[in-house]
């Protein structure tokens, strides 16, 4: 019986004071809504700024990146393959003919020029091999 009385008395007190506390709660909620509106406005402003940044005109680098992802047409491939360039391999000391995307071509040369190329290549290959072995062993290379 005592518990029931306490509940009734507490509920009656809350009923009397409930109007004032609920009124206060409503005021607090209104204040929170104002803060929420401010936060929403700030978020909308930041979103607008980000959208403006993303709407910028794409520069040449972005266009090139986009073009790389596109499959190559036959004309584009033929144009690329028609370019032949000489590349120097600094590791072995050889000069090679490279076609388009990396195909290595042979060069027609005289017998004497072929021997000279082979001598230079052998010396370069030996030096590259020596450097590789020394780097694996941790030995510092000597300068002769």
């Amino acid at each position: 019986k005592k518990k029931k009385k306490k509940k009734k008395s507490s509920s009656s007190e809350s009923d009397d004071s409930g109007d004032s506390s609920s009124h206060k709660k409503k005021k607090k909620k209104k204040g929170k809504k104002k803060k929420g509106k401010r936060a929403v406005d700030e978020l909308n402003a930041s979103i607008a700024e980000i959208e403006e940044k993303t709407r910028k005109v794409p520069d040449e680098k972005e266009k090139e990146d986009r073009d790389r992802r596109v499959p190559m047409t036959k004309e584009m491939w033929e144009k690329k393959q028609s370019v032949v360039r000489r590349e120097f391999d600094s590791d072995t000391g050889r000069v090679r003919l490279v076609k388009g995307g990396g195909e290595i071509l042979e060069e027609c040369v005289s017998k004497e020029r072929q021997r000279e190329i082979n001598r230079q290549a052998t010396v370069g290959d030996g030096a590259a091999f020596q450097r590789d072995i020394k780097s694996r062993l941790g030995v510092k290379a000597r300068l002769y």
Side-chain angles (χ1 to χ4, degrees):
K1 291 181 179 180
K2 291 181 181 178
K3 292 180 182 178
K4 290 182 180 178
K5 287 182 180 178
K6 287 182 181 178
K7 287 183 181 179
K8 287 182 181 179
S9 63
S10 64
S11 64
S12 63
E13 289 174 7
S14 64
D15 291 341
D16 295 339
S17 62
D19 294 333
S20 61
S21 65
S22 64
H23 184 65
K24 288 180 183 177
K25 287 181 182 178
K26 289 180 181 177
K27 286 183 179 179
K28 288 181 182 178
K29 287 181 181 178
K30 287 181 181 178
K32 287 182 181 178
K33 286 182 181 178
K34 288 179 182 176
K35 289 180 183 177
K37 287 181 182 178
R38 289 180 196 155
V40 170
D41 291 339
E42 290 174 4
L43 287 173
N44 287 336
S46 64
I47 290 170
E49 289 175 19
I50 293 170
E51 287 176 349
E52 286 177 24
K53 289 179 183 177
T54 57
R55 287 183 195 155
K56 67 179 182 177
V57 179
D59 59 347
E60 291 179 19
K61 185 177 180 183
E62 291 175 356
K63 287 180 182 178
E64 289 175 10
D65 290 342
R66 207 176 292 145
D67 290 342
R68 281 189 213 146
R69 288 184 239 132
V70 175
M72 198 180 290
T73 64
K74 186 175 181 181
E75 293 80 20
M76 291 169 62
W77 183 81
E78 288 173 352
K79 182 180 177 183
K80 188 176 181 181
Q81 289 296 323
S82 66
V83 176
V84 178
R85 63 188 184 279
R86 290 184 182 271
E87 285 189 3
F88 178 73
D89 184 5
S90 60
D91 194 33
T92 59
R94 296 178 190 229
V95 177
R96 296 190 170 109
L97 290 176
V98 181
K99 179 180 178 182
E103 181 182 351
I104 306 297
L105 300 177
E106 289 188 22
E107 187 177 4
C108 295
V109 292
S110 66
K111 190 175 183 178
E112 295 80 27
R113 176 73 181 130
Q114 181 65 35
R115 286 186 182 156
E116 184 181 328
I117 290 171
N118 282 341
R119 280 192 206 111
Q120 290 176 352
T122 304
V123 170
D125 288 344
F129 178 77
Q130 292 274 335
R131 279 194 306 271
D132 186 42
I133 294 296
K134 287 180 182 178
S135 68
R136 289 184 185 183
L137 295 175
V139 178
K140 293 182 181 178
R142 294 183 196 167
L143 298 174
Y144 291 102

